[in-house]
Every structure is written in C-alpha cells, then in structure tokens.
Amino acid sequence: MPDSNSAGDAQLAAFRRSIDNIDAALIHILAERFRITQAVGEYKAANALPPADPGREQKQIARLRKLAEEARLDPEFSEKFLRFIIDEVIRHHERARGG
Ligand SMILES: O=C(O)C(=O)C[C@]1(C(=O)O)C=C[C@@H](O)C=C1
C-alpha cells in the first residue's frame, strides 16, 4: 500500500521529478519555436507577407492530429494546443508589421 502522506510519498515524488523535467523541456522547445517564429514575423513584415497563412495552418493541424493519434494523445487537445500557439504567433507577427 503506497504511503498516503504526500510529504513522505517517494513514488509520487519520483513521478513529479519526471513531470518537472518534461515541463522544462516543453518550455525550452516553446522558447525555440518562438525564436524561429519571431524571425518569420520579421521576414514577413519586411516582405509585405500576411501574418497568417490559413493553408499552412490547415496542413500543420492535419499533420499534428495524425501524429497525436499515433502517439495515443487526444487529437482534439493537440489541435487546440497548436491553435493556441499559432494564434499567439499571429499576434506577434501583427505587432512586427506595426499592427
Ligand atoms: O509558417 C508561417 O508562415 C508562420 O508564420 C508560422 C505559423 C506557425 O506558428 O506555425 C504562424 C502563422 C501562420 O498562419 C502559419 C504558421
């Protein structure tokens, strides 16, 4: 029977160490993605390209949904997560072009 005292629960502490590592990796990956999209935003602003590209987004979402299914991750959640990130990127792109 596992120790129900959370302060002394070694199993829960081990799970949480793994969660902490995964969360740190997510932050680093997101930071890297936003570094790249910042460069994309500057490129689009300099070349009078529109901030959003709905065709590209559709392809990304379809690809991600398929990957999610293969990884047994909820595709609806995956789409919402990507949508949330892309919407933020579009806001950054609009700011980069002075909008
Ligand atoms: O690929 C682009 O054109 C981007 O600006 C990047 C990105 C994304 O974050 O993935 C953001 C906005 C576009 O609508 C499509 C994709």
Side-chain angles (χ1 to χ4, degrees):
M1 182 73 174
D3 188 344
S4 60
N5 171 3
S6 67
D9 191 330
Q11 179 62 75
L12 185 57
F15 285 142
R16 286 179 176 170
R17 275 195 296 278
S18 291
I19 291 170
D20 286 351
N21 284 341
I22 292 163
D23 288 349
L26 280 174
I27 291 299
H28 287 291
I29 288 167
L30 271 178
E32 198 53 34
R33 192 184 198 282
F34 275 97
R35 253 192 293 280
I36 295 165
T37 55
Q38 185 179 340
V40 173
E42 287 161 13
Y43 178 85
K44 284 185 167 182
N47 293 280
L49 292 167
D53 182 340
R56 164 72 178 158
E57 291 171 24
Q58 244 182 348
K59 280 185 195 153
Q60 282 171 286
I61 285 167
R63 179 173 168 267
L64 260 282
R65 286 187 67 105
K66 190 165 179 293
L67 283 176
E69 274 167 29
E70 288 163 9
R72 293 169 178 262
L73 181 67
D74 181 359
E76 290 300 316
F77 168 77
S78 306
E79 177 169 347
K80 274 192 254 170
F81 182 65
L82 187 64
R83 186 75 262 157
F84 180 68
I85 293 168
I86 290 175
D87 287 347
E88 180 68 9
V89 170
I90 291 170
R91 266 194 295 280
H92 291 187
H93 286 357
E94 282 165 351
R95 225 184 294 141
R97 71 160 185 187

